[in-house]
Every structure is written in structure tokens, then in C-alpha cells.
């Protein structure tokens, strides 16, 4: 990380020479959202709702830059149609009503000839059109493109940076110097060649771009765990201005099996004077971004000091008290991410019970039929792929995947990727493999201790060895490709739910803990990972054939107790899933449903495996016979 070796003392010395690179106190701190992810863009209704939420949180800027809007990137030369123009005009006017600055971004770098008068004219015409919609803030983005020029450009410009600076300055002047942002091709330290300080590209950009233009930056990496003050000071010296952070800490477009509900973290408040602002590029799913926005807003308003995490007894007790979500809790001076997270969760919970429908009030699509809400085993529906892994790979397919194996490098391994590849027959095939089970969970598979001979009893022996529900459900799941639908009239209203049927703050905090941040797990997820690992490693003490002679008898009771607690947690998570399915906020439910139920299936599968480890009386040969008999029926 640039400047990570700089000491606090040297940082103090640097402050003296960086006074002119601080953001002027009279200049408003930019705080808001960039819709800059790859994937399906948000719709008009969601964006208008976003503006209202941003105003309530005290945010001030929205950057329109969805990568999959073809006229933003792939077909940037094309003008908007009348219908598209009306939609954009509505968005711009809606943002203004909420005092939110609407910044229109265009990304022409894929195929633009920088020296072409024709391309420059087309770009001007496109931005003039958007300006006619009422937009007065713009951005040119040159991210995620090859740093190469064609033959014509090489004859005109000394470097790639000179070409981009020339075009950007001309557009900035043409638009009469509006609020303007620029995203460089080297937009993080890991893409700076060779380093931030020595990058010819960044130094040229900093020197040639007109001072009124904001330059965007994502930190040490595309998704940065920590952005340090020293690294920003180093960058500001190169760019000759405070950078504007495009923050991907909550982005999930690179791995849509994950979603992030943790607080804004890894950026100390002492960064604020050295930044032009921060725009968060959050989860692709709209509704789950409440936490990301709420905690960023809290951070942006915190005092200009680095609030370090403390481990003192007093601080621990204070945070334990805050975990009770006292209605009188207030934000303490500075930014404490644990407090900010808890307050965001508390503010988010009521939205779960505010009835909403997708696309601004249109009838929602029919809900998928969920598995019975009793204690029917989830493993019943996936017994075949599980048994396929026994006995040759059962001890390895459940192993915790090393953190270093998940991309981007350094990201924490999600709990729902602890299990090997499993395909659920009732789900349509995807182009990519799935690492987890997207089905509801319940009690684990029963372990049968009697040993009848399959050769003597034939098919009925399968029913004796396995529960009837297990066989019937597995066969039904394997043979049925039809997705059942539930009548919309069955959907519950918040008024019809008892308090016990509603999510409470602790339930929601647990969900957020299980889907925390890309580099860090929440406390509940850490519990699942550590307990599962311990139970697996120490499962040998439960071998009943050796208990009478085992020197580790003292571990047996501990193993049973910890397995029982693990089972309780899995059942608690399953109960929370049932509550979640009943929320009347359809938009939120659709955004989170796949993630939550996928994790429920994974936890149930892990729980079944732990229970299986606790009983070794079913011999390998018998299990192989069960597999063969069951598969012959499917």
C-alpha cells in the first residue's frame, strides 16, 4: 500500500507541506452514490427512491454511470431516444427536487480516437443533449480500458495521458466549466505503473487536467480494504489536488454469490480534509444498500480525527450495552463503526414492514413456492448429490476453503462457499457452477444404526435405512423441473403478523453479520467458521468403536455441547429465514431472498455433516449400498 510505512510523526511533518492540497473548508464535501457497477442497472423508481433516502441522510451527489447502459459505454456515440430522454429528464428533475447533484457520466474509452475531430464532435453533441435535459454536472470515465493509442493518436499525442487530458479539457471548456469529474485509467495504486509517485500517466494527468476537474480514485486496489491518510497524501501530491474516492468496499458485481451488509470501514475520519469526497459504488441489488449508505453518511459527518478501535473493558461494556439497541442511543463523537452499524440496522428494520412492490407499484411476480415451513429436512432435497461424495470425498468436500483462494485476493471466504459444488435439480441450469445450495433448510439427515442386508431385503431396505421423507423428496426434486407458484393473495401483510412472526433487531443484526464485508466476517459468521472447523478436526473423539479406550474422553462432552450449540444456531437461522419470507416489502425480499436461503441450505448441510460425524456406527459399505439403491430409483 502506498505510504503504508510512513510513521505518524512523518505524517505530521507532511501536513505542513500539504496544506494547499487539503480540500478548502468552504468547499462542500462530496458524499453520495455512484451507480457504476457491471450488471443490470437500477430502474427509474429505485433511483428516485435513492434520491429521497440520500437527502434524508444528508448526502449530496449521485453519479450516473451504469456499465451496462449501452449508451453510457458500449454505444456512447448514440443519442438518446425521446422515451429515454424523458426518463433521464425525470431523473434529473427528481434529483434536483431532493437537492441532490445529478452527475451524468459517459465512458467513451473503449473505441474513441482521441485525435478525431469527428469523435470529439459526437461527444460534445451527446453531452449537449444531456445538458438540454437539465443536467449541469458531468464526468468522463476512462476506467477498465486498454492503455493504448491507435496509430492516428500516436502521431498527435505524446502519451495516453496527454490524449485523455486534451479531450477532457476541451469538453470541460465546451460545457462552460461545470461541476466535472474524471476517472483515470490508472485509478488505483495496483494499476499505477510502476508506482503512484513514479507513474508517468498519473503525473501527466495531474499536471495537464484543469484544476476544477475532480479526479477519481479507488485506493490501493480496485476493492480496497484500507485507504490510509499517507497514501492519499502521496496521491494528492501527484494529482495536484485532493482526490475523489470511488469506493468499491460494498460492490459485489465481481462475485454475485456475495452481498455486503456491513458498515463503512477501513477509512479513518482523518482522511476527510484530504479528500474532495467519497462516492460509494454499492451492491448491485438496490434495497440491501441501506447499511452502506447510512454508515457512509455517518462517517462523512464525523469529526476530523482518527477514532481507533479500543479493547478496554470500559469500551467492551459500552458496546455490549449498545448491542441491546436502546432507543436512547445516540452517535458518539467521531466515527465508531460498531455504533454506526447498530444504528443503521435499527433504522433499516422498519423498511422491511413497509409494503412495496417492484417497479414502482406494478404487481410483483409470483413468489416461488418455498419448502414446507415445518422441520422437513433440507438434506432430503439434495441427498443425491451429497451421497455422491461419500465415502471418497466426504472428509474434504466440506473443508473450509482457504481465504487465499477467493478472488479478489484477500477477500474473506463467504460462509455459503464452504460446501463443494452442488446442483439443485429443481433450479434451472446456469452457465457458471454454483458453490452452494439455494434451498431452505431444516433438521439434518437421520443416521440409521441398524444394518439389514440389502441383498436379502431388496428395495424396502432403503426405506428402513433412510427416512421416507428423504427418499420421496429426493426423487420428487430430481424428477420435477416445474417451479410451483403461490397465489399472490396468500402474501402476508405487516398488520396480520404477530410480533413473534416479525424480524427483530437482533435477527437483522445476525443477518448482517453473516453477510458482512469483503475482507472481514461478522461475529456470527466467524462463529460458524470456527465452530465448524473445531468440530470437524476433533470429530475423531466421537468414534464409538474406540470410546472405551480413547485417551480423549474428556473431549467427548465438550464436542457434544458445541455440536448442540451449533445445531441451535442453525435452527435459529432457519427460524429467521421463515420470518424473512413473510416481510411485506417485496422489493427487499426479492433482493435478499436468494442469498439468505442459499446460506440456510449451506448451514443445514454443514449441520447434517456435523451430526453425521457424531455417529460412526453406519459403516462405509452400508452407505455405499444405500447410495446405489437410491440412485437406481431416480
Amino acid at each position: 500500500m502506498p505510504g503504508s510505512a510512513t510513521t505518524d510523526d512523518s505524517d505530521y511533518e507532511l501536513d505542513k507541506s500539504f496544506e494547499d492540497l487539503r480540500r478548502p473548508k468552504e468547499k462542500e464535501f462530496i458524499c453520495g452514490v455512484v451507480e457504476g457497477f457491471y450488471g443490470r442497472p437500477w430502474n427509474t423508481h429505485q433511483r428516485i427512491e435513492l434520491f429521497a433516502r440520500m437527502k434524508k441522510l444528508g448526502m449530496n451527489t449521485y453519479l450516473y454511470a451504469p456499465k451496462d447502459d449501452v449508451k453510457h459505454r458500449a454505444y456512447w456515440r448514440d443519442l438518446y431516444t425521446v422515451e429515454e430522454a424523458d426518463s433521464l429528464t425525470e431523473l434529473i428533475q427528481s434529483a434536483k427536487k431532493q437537492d441532490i447533484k445529478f452527475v451524468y457520466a459517459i465512458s467513451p474509452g473503449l473505441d474513441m480516437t482521441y485525435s478525431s475531430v469527428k469523435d470529439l464532435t459526437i461527444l460534445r453533441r451527446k453531452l449537449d443533449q444531456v445538458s438540454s435535459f437539465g443536467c449541469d454536472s458531468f464526468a468522463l470515465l476512462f476506467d477498465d480500458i486498454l492503455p493504448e493509442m491507435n496509430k492516428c493518436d500516436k502521431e498527435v499525442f505524446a502519451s495516453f495521458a496527454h490524449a485523455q487530458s486534451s479531450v477532457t479539457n476541451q469538453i470541460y471548456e465546451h460545457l462552460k466549466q461545470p461541476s466535472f469529474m474524471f476517472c483515470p485509467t490508472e485509478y488505483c495504486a495496483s494499476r499505477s505503473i510502476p508506482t503512484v509517485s513514479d507513474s508517468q500517466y498519473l503525473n501527466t494527468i495531474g499536471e495537464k487536467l484543469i484544476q476544477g476537474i475532480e479526479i477519481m480514485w479507488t485506493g490501493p486496489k480496485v476493492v480496497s480494504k484500507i485507504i490510509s491518510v499517507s497514501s492519499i497524501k502521496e496521491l494528492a501530491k501527484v494529482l495536484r489536488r485532493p482526490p475523489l474516492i470511488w469506493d468499491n468496499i460494498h460492490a459485489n458485481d465481481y462475485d454475485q454469490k456475495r452481498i455486503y451488509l456491513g458498515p463503512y470501514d477501513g477509512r479513518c475520519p482523518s482522511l476527510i480534509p484530504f479528500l474532495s469526497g467519497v462516492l460509494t459504488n454499492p451492491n448491485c441489488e438496490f434495497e440491501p444498500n441501506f447499511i452502506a449508505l447510512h454508515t457512509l453518511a455517518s462517517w462523512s459527518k464525523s469529526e476530523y480525527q482518527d477514532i481507533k478501535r479500543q479493547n478496554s473493558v470500559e469500551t467492551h461494556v459500552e458496546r455490549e450495552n449498545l448491542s441491546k439497541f436502546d432507543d436512547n442511543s445516540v452517535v458518539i463523537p467521531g466515527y465508531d463503526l460498531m455504533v454506526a452499524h447498530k444504528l443503521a440496522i435499527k433504522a433499516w428494520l422498519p423498511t422491511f414492514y413497509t409494503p412495496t412492490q417492484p417497479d414502482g407499484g406494478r404487481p410483483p411476480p409470483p413468489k416461488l413456492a418455498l419448502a414446507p415451513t415445518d422441520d422437513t429436512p433440507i438434506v432430503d432435497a439434495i441427498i443425491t448429490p451429497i451421497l455422491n461424495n461419500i465415502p471418497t470425498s466426504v472428509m474434504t468436500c466440506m473443508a473450509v476453503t482457504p481465504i487465499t483462494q477467493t478472488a479478489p485476493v484477500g477477500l474473506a471466504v463467504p460462509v455459503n462457499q464452504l460446501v463443494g459444488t452442488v446442483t439443485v435439480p429443481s433450479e434451472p441450469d446456469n452457465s457458471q457452477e454454483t458453490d452452494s445450495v439455494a434451498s431452505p433448510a431444516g433438521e439434518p439427515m437421520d443416521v440409521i444404526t441398524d444394518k439389514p442386508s440389502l441383498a436379502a431385503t431388496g428395495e424396502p431396505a432403503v426405506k428402513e435405512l433412510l427416512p421416507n421423507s428423504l427418499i420421496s423428496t429426493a426423487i420428487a426434486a430430481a424428477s420435477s423441473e416445474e417451479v410451483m407458484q403461490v397465489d399472490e393473495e396468500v402474501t402476508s401483510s405487516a398488520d396480520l403478523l404477530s410480533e413473534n412472526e416479525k424480524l427483530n433487531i437482533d435477527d437483522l443484526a445476525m443477518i448482517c453479520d453473516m453477510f458482512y464485508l469483503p475482507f472481514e466476517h461478522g461475529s456470527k459468521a466467524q462463529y460458524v467458521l470456527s465452530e465448524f472447523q473445531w468440530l470437524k478436526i476433533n470429530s475423531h473423539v466421537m468414534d464409538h468403536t474406540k470410546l472405551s479406550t480413547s485417551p480423549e474422553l474428556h473431549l467427548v462432552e465438550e464436542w457434544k455441547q458445541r455440536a448442540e450449540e451449533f445445531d441451535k444456531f442453525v435452527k435459529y437461522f432457519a427460524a429467521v429465514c421463515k420470518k424473512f419470507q413473510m416481510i411485506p416489502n417485496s422489493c427487499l425480499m426479492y433482493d435478499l431472498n436468494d442469498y439468505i436461503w442459499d446460506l440456510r441450505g449451506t448451514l443445514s448441510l454443514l449441520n447434517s455433516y456435523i451430526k453425521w460425524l457424531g455417529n460412526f456406527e453406519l459403516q462405509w459399505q452400508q452407505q455405499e449400498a444405500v447410495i446405489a439403491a437410491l440412485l437406481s430409483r431416480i
Side-chain angles (χ1 to χ4, degrees):
M1 184 183 308
S4 58
T6 305
T7 64
D8 290 341
D9 291 338
S10 60
D11 274 354
Y12 176 77
E13 292 299 324
L14 278 172
D15 285 346
K16 297 179 181 179
S17 60
F18 275 78
E19 288 297 331
D20 59 332
L21 294 179
R22 290 173 179 260
R23 175 177 46 83
K25 293 182 179 180
E26 65 274 9
K27 182 180 178 183
E28 184 179 29
F29 185 78
I30 298 171
C31 181
V33 177
V34 49
E35 184 183 343
F37 49 79
Y38 292 88
R40 183 175 63 184
W42 296 331
N43 59 44
T44 299
H45 174 73
Q46 289 171 327
R47 291 168 181 147
I48 293 175
E49 174 62 23
L50 173 66
F51 302 152
R53 294 181 185 182
M54 290 173 64
K55 181 178 182 179
K56 187 175 181 180
L57 293 171
M59 293 178 158
N60 53 40
T61 304
Y62 164 78
L63 177 61
Y64 176 89
K67 293 292 193 294
D68 285 1
D69 176 350
V70 294
K71 292 186 178 179
H72 157 76
R73 187 173 174 86
Y75 298 105
W76 61 270
R77 293 178 177 86
D78 294 354
L79 295 176
Y80 289 105
T81 64
V82 173
E83 182 179 3
E84 292 166 340
D86 290 342
S87 179
L88 268 176
T89 301
E90 180 185 6
L91 282 180
I92 294 166
Q93 296 306 316
S94 297
K96 288 183 177 180
K97 288 179 182 178
Q98 301 291 353
D99 296 321
I100 302 297
K101 179 189 294 183
F102 185 101
V103 183
Y104 175 84
I106 191 165
S107 185
L110 288 175
D111 59 358
M112 181 178 188
T113 300
Y114 299 96
S115 58
S116 169
V117 175
K118 179 180 179 181
D119 271 0
L120 187 59
T121 301
I122 290 173
L123 183 57
R124 288 170 176 165
R125 184 181 61 175
K126 179 68 169 283
L127 296 181
D128 283 340
Q129 184 194 32
V130 177
S131 179
S132 70
F133 303 157
C135 183
D136 54 11
S137 301
F138 299 89
L140 274 181
L141 311 183
F142 293 103
D143 57 320
D144 299 339
I145 60 174
L146 295 176
E148 300 174 355
M149 294 189 295
N150 59 35
K151 184 178 179 180
C152 295
D153 288 339
K154 289 179 180 179
E155 294 175 354
V156 177
F157 299 111
S159 69
F160 196 53
H162 283 87
Q164 291 181 355
S165 299
S166 174
V167 168
T168 304
N169 287 338
Q170 289 184 68
I171 293 298
Y172 180 67
E173 295 287 0
H174 172 74
L175 294 171
K176 299 179 181 179
Q177 300 187 353
S179 173
F180 205 91
M181 300 175 185
F182 171 87
C183 183
T185 304
E186 294 182 11
Y187 57 81
C188 62
S190 63
R191 299 196 175 195
S192 303
I193 303 173
T195 64
V196 172
S197 295
D198 298 328
S199 168
Q200 182 180 357
Y201 173 88
L202 289 177
N203 275 281
T204 301
I205 290 295
E207 177 186 354
K208 298 298 182 181
L209 275 188
I210 297 173
Q211 272 298 313
I213 299 174
E214 309 282 1
I215 302 179
M216 310 186 85
W217 187 253
T218 65
K221 297 182 179 180
V222 178
V223 181
S224 298
K225 180 179 181 180
I226 295 173
I227 300 177
S228 69
V229 175
S230 56
S231 69
I232 292 302
K233 289 178 178 179
E234 178 187 16
L235 175 67
K237 184 177 180 181
V238 173
L239 299 182
R240 296 165 171 79
R241 72 203 76 196
L244 172 62
I245 298 297
W246 172 313
D247 209 324
N248 290 318
I249 188 65
H250 285 95
N252 71 336
D253 55 352
Y254 56 86
D255 184 359
Q256 294 216 336
K257 293 176 185 176
R258 308 189 65 179
I259 197 164
Y260 303 115
L261 307 179
Y264 190 68
D265 193 10
R267 294 94 172 100
C268 64
S270 54
L271 276 170
I272 294 175
F274 299 98
L275 297 175
S276 174
V278 175
L279 298 176
T280 181
N281 181 36
N283 298 288
C284 297
E285 294 81 4
F286 174 74
E287 291 292 340
N289 289 318
F290 189 97
I291 299 291
L293 271 61
H294 196 285
T295 54
L296 171 60
S298 297
W299 177 88
S300 70
K301 298 168 188 172
S302 60
E303 296 181 359
Y304 296 168
Q305 56 182 338
D306 187 2
I307 306 300
K308 298 182 179 179
R309 300 187 192 187
Q310 302 176 26
N311 296 317
S312 64
V313 176
E314 293 81 4
T315 301
H316 178 72
V317 172
E318 178 184 359
R319 286 176 174 170
E320 285 298 314
N321 292 335
L322 281 169
S323 68
K324 299 176 183 178
F325 296 95
D326 183 358
D327 287 339
N328 296 321
S329 298
V330 294
V331 178
I332 61 175
Y335 178 73
D336 186 301
L337 68 93
M338 294 181 67
V339 175
H341 196 210
K342 294 178 189 301
L343 293 175
I345 291 169
K346 180 179 178 181
W348 192 23
L349 182 60
T351 67
F352 282 67
Y353 294 94
T354 302
T356 59
Q357 295 180 348
D359 300 322
R362 294 188 310 192
K367 290 186 178 180
L368 297 182
L370 302 174
T373 55
D374 55 18
D375 292 327
T376 304
I378 173 62
V379 181
D380 294 2
I382 54 175
I383 184 63
T384 300
I386 297 174
L387 290 180
N388 278 332
N389 290 326
I390 299 176
T392 58
S393 60
V394 70
M395 298 304 287
T396 58
C397 72
M398 301 292 190
V400 176
T401 307
I403 289 180
T404 55
Q405 293 184 6
T406 303
V409 175
L411 298 188
V413 177
V415 177
N416 63 357
Q417 291 188 14
L418 289 173
V419 184
T421 301
V422 178
T423 302
V424 182
S426 60
E427 293 290 328
D429 291 335
N430 295 322
S431 59
Q432 299 179 347
E433 292 184 353
T434 56
D435 291 340
S436 48
V437 183
S439 305
E443 293 293 324
M445 158 176 74
D446 294 337
V447 179
I448 311 301
T449 57
D450 52 344
K451 308 171 184 178
S453 169
L454 288 176
T457 58
E459 182 179 293
V462 176
K463 295 182 179 180
E464 295 176 10
L465 287 167
L466 298 173
N468 289 334
S469 62
L470 188 152
I471 296 176
S472 60
T473 308
I475 294 174
S479 60
S480 174
E481 294 292 335
E482 183 175 344
V483 179
M484 297 176 60
Q485 295 182 348
V486 176
D487 191 350
E488 294 176 15
E489 295 181 359
V490 180
T491 57
S492 300
S493 168
D495 296 335
L496 300 178
L497 298 175
S498 68
E499 289 303 313
N500 290 333
E501 293 175 312
K502 292 182 179 180
L503 292 168
N504 58 45
I505 295 180
D506 289 330
D507 296 337
L508 184 52
M510 184 270 293
I511 291 176
C512 292
D513 258 7
M514 299 301 287
F515 302 96
Y516 202 65
L517 290 172
F519 300 96
E520 183 181 1
H521 291 303
S523 59
K524 300 301 183 184
Q526 291 176 15
Y527 164 79
V528 170
L529 293 170
S530 61
E531 282 301 287
F532 175 78
Q533 189 77 309
W534 187 92
L535 290 166
K536 179 179 180 294
I537 291 173
N538 294 282
S539 62
H540 63 278
V541 304
M542 300 303 295
D543 189 342
H544 295 278
T545 63
K546 300 178 182 178
L547 279 180
S548 59
T549 60
S550 174
E552 299 178 308
L553 287 175
H554 65 283
L555 286 177
V556 174
E557 285 303 315
E558 181 183 359
W559 197 97
K560 289 181 178 179
Q561 290 176 3
R562 293 176 75 158
E564 183 178 351
E565 290 300 315
F566 190 87
D567 178 66
K568 288 180 180 178
F569 178 80
V570 172
K571 290 178 178 178
Y572 168 57
F573 189 86
V576 170
C577 289
K578 294 176 185 178
K579 293 181 182 180
F580 175 77
Q581 196 272 333
M582 302 297 289
I583 65 172
N585 187 331
S586 298
C587 298
L588 208 162
M589 196 273 288
Y590 292 137
D591 279 351
L592 281 175
N593 187 66
D594 288 348
Y595 296 100
I596 291 178
W597 285 91
D598 178 57
L599 181 56
R600 179 185 174 179
T602 300
L603 289 175
S604 179
L605 190 57
L606 297 180
N607 196 32
S608 299
Y609 178 61
I610 292 300
K611 288 200 169 186
W612 176 82
L613 289 176
N615 191 328
F616 278 79
E617 295 185 25
L618 189 61
Q619 300 297 316
W620 288 114
Q621 291 181 349
Q622 185 179 19
Q623 290 199 36
E624 290 175 338
V626 171
I627 297 169
L630 184 60
L631 293 180
S632 66
R633 295 192 54 179
I634 297 178

